[in-house]
Amino acid sequence: MHQKFIQMNNYILADNQDLTRFALESLIRQKERNVIRRATDKTELLQLLKENENSVVILDFTLFDFADADQLLIVSERFVMASWILISDELTEKFLRKMVFSSNSFSIVFKDSPFKAFRDALQSATQGKRYLCQRAMEMIIEGQKDDEYGVLTNTELEIVKAIAQGKTTKEIANERFSSIHTINTHRKNIFRKLKVNTAHDVIKYALRAGLVNPAEFYI
């Protein structure tokens, strides 16, 4: 990962929520060399970045006037010396994955995170490193699991449910008016896609993905 070394500990605080801004300023000012500048909208933020390219930008994306994640990524590519800490009450899993997988410049902290998470994020950002709070990591991991399940076709999903209900290959074939050979082929494809070796593992994957109700499965 490309390392960015920030000499002056410059911070641009782009959060329009008074209480959060006050708390962050108090945390940043614990070190004398830290310099804080404020931006109330995207125009001010861009101007401050032009004047201080090696800043740490602390941004509440949901309260700022960025059109979407792509627009924010374009700005980050323009100011490659800046490090970003995105803070928010709520960010979607899709947004998190796009930012994290598209750039190493973005740290993520939710506003309900422990105080230590904000301190760690600030320290990481000043060293050009990325920091993800626990909640952000969990959301991204869950999203990756969903991607794995999403590769299954509708027919394969129905067969997974039947397997979880304890039905045999013959029973599944009869219900679907298919041959045993066809159902076995589907089973092999399901095992291959989910990278598992047993029906028990298929059931566990199905439960974690919410494909079946716990009351419906049989182990």
Side-chain angles (χ1 to χ4, degrees), residues 26-82:
S26 298
L27 180 60
I28 294 170
R29 291 190 191 283
Q30 290 180 1
K31 293 186 178 181
E32 294 181 359
R33 295 185 63 224
N34 292 343
V35 178
I36 303 174
R37 297 172 176 85
R38 294 183 185 178
T40 59
D41 56 32
K42 186 178 64 179
T43 301
E44 287 187 5
L45 175 58
L46 294 177
Q47 183 59 43
L48 287 173
L49 280 170
K50 290 178 184 177
E51 299 168 358
N52 309 274
E53 293 189 4
N54 63 339
S55 296
V56 174
V57 181
I58 305 172
L59 170 70
D60 187 333
F61 177 80
T62 58
L63 296 180
F64 244 61
D65 53 340
F66 281 96
D68 50 31
D70 288 328
Q71 191 177 80
L72 180 55
L73 286 168
I74 290 172
V75 173
S76 71
E77 291 171 359
R78 178 180 175 186
F79 299 100
V80 296
M81 293 303 295

